[in-house]
Amino acid sequence: MRITGGEQPIEMPSRPSKPINLTAAAEPVPWAEACKTIGVAGPSELVALDVRGLTHADNGRLNDGSRETVYVVVAGFGVLRCDDAAMECTAGDVIFVPRGCPHRFERLDGEIKIWTISPVGGP
């Protein structure tokens, strides 16, 4: 994956090991360029998706990291914690968390609304 941030492109491994804020990565570049350079693609072609809203971000419950997850923050503010890394997220952010990264939301503002999108099964 290639993320262009500011002046120089940033080369990322095709399978990141930590969460990535796709919104923040796209922010400093024109949208047309972001569409070409920012993305996360998996090895499978056909995957069913589980899409659901989180209630109070599941009250800080640990996600075991057994599957990749995309979070779309619709409203509010929170912090996504993965190991010792903490990522602030707010309305409009799209966060990708790779498989193998147990994580949870904390420091929630009480009004946070998040969609979670994860694969269920495969081809």
Side-chain angles (χ1 to χ4, degrees):
M1 177 172 74
R2 182 174 178 243
I3 295 178
T4 305
E7 299 290 319
Q8 303 233 341
I10 303 165
E11 292 297 327
M12 298 288 290
S14 59
R15 306 297 289 174
S17 60
K18 296 287 181 188
I20 298 170
N21 185 328
L22 298 175
T23 304
E27 195 170 84
V29 296
W31 183 246
E33 181 66 19
C35 291
K36 294 177 195 171
T37 60
I38 298 172
V40 179
S44 58
E45 293 178 16
L46 299 173
V47 175
L49 295 176
D50 174 27
V51 179
R52 62 186 174 91
L54 293 182
T55 304
H56 302 291
D58 282 355
N59 295 316
R61 184 175 55 92
L62 182 67
N63 178 310
D64 66 4
S66 62
R67 55 190 183 165
E68 283 120 349
T69 304
V70 172
Y71 293 102
V72 180
V73 182
V74 178
F77 171 86
V79 174
L80 177 75
R81 178 161 303 277
C82 177
D83 296 327
D84 59 349
M87 177 185 295
E88 292 184 351
C89 50
T90 189
D93 284 346
V94 179
I95 311 292
F96 171 77
V97 181
R99 183 177 60 240
C101 183
H103 59 280
R104 70 180 179 279
F105 283 94
E106 55 187 40
R107 289 182 27 213
L108 306 173
D109 75 358
E111 297 296 321
I112 194 162
K113 296 177 184 174
I114 302 173
W115 286 109
T116 177
I117 306 166
S118 298
V120 289

